[in-house]
Amino acid sequence: MNKHTDDNCIFCKLANGQIPTNSIYEDDDFNVILDQEPAAKGHCIILPKTHAANLYELPDDYCSKIMGVAKKCASALKNTLHCDGINVLQNNGDAAGQTVFHLHVHVIPRYDNDSVTITWDKKEAPTAADAEEIKKGF
């Protein structure tokens, strides 16, 4: 895959080995490192070695591959840490909580009754008109 990096991006440097990390998996396109501010033991982030600020910019070939890497991470965490569940999370933009503008995917081990909170207030159920409006964007 064609790699483009940004010299000013800390995650490009982490993904490509320019800054030492606690890497737990690496292949030609991704580096998976333990998060330095984890929500839980084993919380890791999948970093593409190519720069894309967000999901909208990530090349399609990386998009199709990143969930396979997430599955490998989830399986490894489940097998070694014996967690009860896994969150796979990816944020795009300030409003969604993105703080580093290099696409990355969080894989967070979860345990029954842990203190990790990834929740939202439920809103009104969508209507058929809502679905029709969104369909136009495809």
Side-chain angles (χ1 to χ4, degrees):
M1 290 186 204
N2 187 17
K3 291 184 183 67
H4 162 73
T5 59
D6 179 340
D7 292 339
N8 297 315
C9 175
I10 186 85
F11 276 15
C12 280
K13 292 175 183 176
L14 292 169
N16 290 287
Q18 296 171 331
I19 297 174
T21 64
N22 288 314
S23 179
I24 59 170
Y25 173 83
E26 185 173 4
D27 64 24
D28 290 342
D29 302 309
F30 301 97
N31 194 354
V32 181
I33 67 173
L34 292 176
D35 194 305
Q36 291 300 296
E37 297 177 348
K41 181 180 179 179
H43 176 173
C44 56
I45 52 176
I46 304 169
L47 301 172
K49 292 182 178 181
T50 193
H51 183 77
N54 51 48
L55 184 62
Y56 316 113
E57 294 179 9
L58 191 68
D60 287 348
D61 48 353
Y62 279 83
C63 290
S64 64
K65 220 178 143 189
I66 202 162
M67 283 307 283
V69 175
K71 180 181 176 183
K72 286 180 185 182
C73 292
S75 294
L77 293 169
K78 178 89 171 142
N79 291 336
T80 58
L81 300 179
H82 310 290
C83 51
D84 299 309
I86 298 279
N87 283 116
V88 178
L89 232 150
Q90 198 277 313
N91 303 323
N92 295 282
D94 289 321
Q98 185 178 11
T99 58
V100 178
F101 292 88
H102 177 111
L103 178 126
H104 55 287
V105 174
H106 294 265
V107 183
I108 306 169
R110 298 299 305 274
Y111 299 90
D112 292 336
N113 301 313
D114 66 21
S115 63
V116 178
T117 54
I118 302 171
T119 62
W120 52 86
D121 295 330
K122 296 175 185 163
K123 306 296 182 210
E124 186 175 313
T127 65
D130 295 331
E132 288 304 314
E133 178 185 3
I134 293 167
K135 281 181 186 179
K136 294 174 186 175
F138 286 86

